Amino acid sequence: MSWLPTLQTATPEEGYELAIKLSRMAVKKTQPDDEARARMRPEYANDADSLIASSHVVAVNFHTVSQANDHWRDR
Amino acid sequence: MSWLPTLQTATPEEGYELAIKLSRMAVKKTQPDDEARARMRPEYANDADSLIASSHVVAVNFHTVSQANDHWRDR
Amino acid sequence: MSWLPTLQTATPEEGYELAIKLSRMAVKKTQPDDEARARMRPEYANDADSLIASSHVVAVNFHTVSQANDHWRDR
Amino acid sequence: MSWLPTLQTATPEEGYELAIKLSRMAVKKTQPDDEARARMRPEYANDADSLIASSHVVAVNFHTVSQANDHWRDR
Amino acid sequence: MSWLPTLQTATPEEGYELAIKLSRMAVKKTQPDDEARARMRPEYANDADSLIASSHVVAVNFHTVSQANDHWRDR
Amino acid sequence: MSWLPTLQTATPEEGYELAIKLSRMAVKKTQPDDEARARMRPEYANDADSLIASSHVVAVNFHTVSQANDHWRDR
């Protein structure tokens, strides 16, 4: 099954989780080695600027997901 | 209850607060350790570039929230 | 009174001023200490990259404000 | 007269010039001292990363101006 | 045949792949030497900040591709 | 003749080329000296982070151009 069957989600919170998934998947596509990614984790998870940059990527993806769901307006 | 039940807010100011919440939540999801985040706080709160980068993330999320509320046009 | 009662402004120039205000408010929310912010000012106001980064944040917020005003098309 | 009376321009090229003006104005608002800005100029004009960052800001502002002009579709 | 005949894709996952392609193509246009790009690969693939920056570019391109496909709403 | 007579292009690939042109033009407007730009070229063309940053600018401009062409939907 596809890792991205749809951009539609039941709730904003699920949409946010999808935005995080989209953000991580691009990293995975560039660095497919699980161990290499795990090695970097403590480095960026303890660096304020890396965390802010991560949050920026999630924000862009959340914008896309939110639009795809008409901002969950009717819920 | 969900931390993000809806993107709709009563006022632009509440929408701005939600944008800040969205920005912080991504950081929290990457670094869930409260203490680790607290340790980094004085560092980025006293670094102009980190603050500007934070403001950038809020701006992207505020764009999303503002669209979700039709920019609070009818208020 | 709210610091952000509305995103609607009479003119594009006022919209630009609002974009600057939105950009600064996020900094203020992360670093509420007026003195700390004042201390950083000469640093980033004399650093080309910080100024470019600031201008970037204003650009994102101005995009939001401009959309909220239908780009002041009818004026 | 306002430095930004309207976002509407006759041509895409004029729209691009306006995007540059919008990008520079935010810098000017943060660093109003003409001499200070002039001092920084050779620094960032000879730094590839600063130039790329500048181009990024123009791109965001051009997006706004282009939308404000319906992308000059009917011309 | 064009490397970019259309922005329309059958599925969100294919759209995401196209976003990655769009992100890489700009790099290729600036640095057309395959060997030079290969030399840089281990460097950025093992640098958390470079990976986050890459993911950011994919996010912007995915936004475009997703809009071009009406966010695959009817699928 | 204008260097930017229109944002409309016949194909997505031409639109991508236009996005690259828009990205470079902003650099040229800030650093008009051809020799200075040529001097910087090997530096950023061999720096992964500069290339990623360049690709980011192209992505933003491509978003604008793609919107201006209704994402070439009818082709």
Side-chain angles (χ1 to χ4, degrees), chain E residues 7-60:
Chain E
L7 294 188
Q8 274 67 50
T9 69
T11 65
E13 191 175 344
E14 283 177 39
Y16 194 86
E17 291 301 326
L18 180 54
I20 291 175
K21 190 181 183 180
L22 286 163
S23 306
R24 290 187 181 157
M25 189 54 78
V27 171
K28 212 169 172 172
K29 297 267 181 183
T30 306
Q31 177 49 276
D33 180 345
D34 290 350
E35 239 176 85
R37 290 201 315 282
R39 248 197 321 274
M40 283 177 259
R41 198 176 171 78
E43 180 198 326
Y44 71 79
N46 291 292
D47 183 291
D49 290 327
S50 302
L51 288 168
I52 295 167
S54 297
S55 176
H56 200 152
V57 184
V58 174
V60 174

Side-chain angles (χ1 to χ4, degrees), chain D residues 6-19:
Chain D
T6 176
L7 294 187
Q8 273 69 47
T9 69
T11 65
E13 192 175 344
E14 283 177 39
Y16 194 85
E17 292 301 326
L18 180 54

Side-chain angles (χ1 to χ4, degrees), chain C residues 12-13 16-17 20 24 41 44-49 51-52 54-56 58-60 62-63 66-67 71-73, chain D residues 2-5 7-8 22-23 25-27 29-31 40 44 50 53-54 56-57 60-61 63-64 67-68 70:
Chain C
E13 192 176 343
Y16 195 85
E17 292 301 325
I20 291 176
R24 290 188 181 156
R41 196 175 174 80
Y44 71 79
N46 290 292
D47 182 293
D49 290 327
L51 287 168
I52 295 167
S54 297
S55 177
H56 200 152
V58 174
V60 175
F62 183 63
H63 178 64
S66 187
Q67 279 196 337
H71 307 294
W72 302 275
R73 268 193 194 111
Chain D
S2 171
W3 67 271
L4 185 63
L7 294 187
Q8 273 69 47
L22 287 162
S23 306
M25 190 53 79
V27 170
K29 297 267 182 184
T30 308
Q31 178 48 276
M40 283 177 258
Y44 71 79
S50 302
S54 296
H56 200 152
V57 183
V60 174
N61 279 315
H63 177 63
T64 304
Q67 279 195 336
D70 283 324

Side-chain angles (χ1 to χ4, degrees), chain D residues 11-13 16-17 20 24 41 44-49 51-56 58-60 62-63 66-67 70-73 75, chain F residues 2-8 22-23 25-27 29-31 36 39-40 43-44 50 53-54 56-57 60-61 63-64 67-68 70:
Chain D
T11 65
E13 192 175 344
Y16 194 85
E17 292 301 326
I20 291 175
R24 289 188 181 156
R41 196 174 174 80
Y44 71 79
N46 290 292
D47 182 292
D49 290 328
L51 287 168
I52 296 167
S54 296
S55 177
H56 200 152
V58 174
V60 174
F62 184 63
H63 177 63
S66 187
Q67 279 195 336
D70 283 324
H71 308 293
W72 302 276
R73 268 194 192 109
R75 248 140 298 187
Chain F
S2 171
W3 67 270
L4 186 63
T6 177
L7 294 187
Q8 274 68 49
L22 286 163
S23 306
M25 189 54 78
V27 171
K29 297 266 182 184
T30 307
Q31 178 48 276
R39 248 196 322 272
M40 283 177 258
E43 179 197 328
Y44 71 77
S50 302
S54 296
H56 200 152
V57 183
V60 174
N61 279 315
H63 177 63
T64 304
Q67 279 195 337
D70 283 324

Side-chain angles (χ1 to χ4, degrees), chain A residues 27-75:
Chain A
V27 171
K28 212 169 172 171
K29 297 266 181 184
T30 307
Q31 177 49 276
D33 180 346
D34 290 351
E35 239 175 85
R37 290 201 315 282
R39 249 197 320 274
M40 282 177 260
R41 198 176 171 80
E43 180 197 326
Y44 71 79
N46 290 293
D47 182 292
D49 290 327
S50 302
L51 288 168
I52 295 167
S54 297
S55 176
H56 200 152
V57 183
V58 174
V60 175
N61 280 315
F62 184 62
H63 178 63
T64 304
V65 174
S66 186
Q67 279 195 337
N69 287 277
D70 284 324
H71 307 293
W72 301 276
R73 267 192 194 111
D74 309 326
R75 246 137 303 186

Side-chain angles (χ1 to χ4, degrees), chain A residues 12 16 59 62-64 66-67 70-73, chain B residues 3-4 6-23 57-73 75, chain C residues 4 7 64 67-68:
Chain A
Y16 194 85
F62 184 62
H63 178 63
T64 304
S66 186
Q67 279 195 337
D70 284 324
H71 307 293
W72 301 276
R73 267 192 194 111
Chain B
W3 67 270
L4 187 63
T6 177
L7 294 188
Q8 274 68 50
T9 69
T11 65
E13 192 176 344
E14 283 177 39
Y16 195 85
E17 292 300 326
L18 180 54
I20 291 175
K21 190 181 182 180
L22 286 162
S23 306
V57 183
V58 173
V60 175
N61 279 314
F62 184 63
H63 178 62
T64 304
V65 174
S66 186
Q67 279 196 337
N69 287 278
D70 284 325
H71 307 295
W72 301 277
R73 268 193 193 110
R75 245 136 304 185
Chain C
L4 186 63
L7 294 188
T64 304
Q67 279 196 337

Side-chain angles (χ1 to χ4, degrees), chain B residues 13 16-17 45 49 55 73, chain C residues 2 22-23 26 29 31 50 67:
Chain B
E13 192 176 344
Y16 195 85
E17 292 300 326
D49 290 326
S55 176
R73 268 193 193 110
Chain C
S2 170
L22 287 162
S23 307
K29 297 268 182 182
Q31 178 47 277
S50 303
Q67 279 196 337

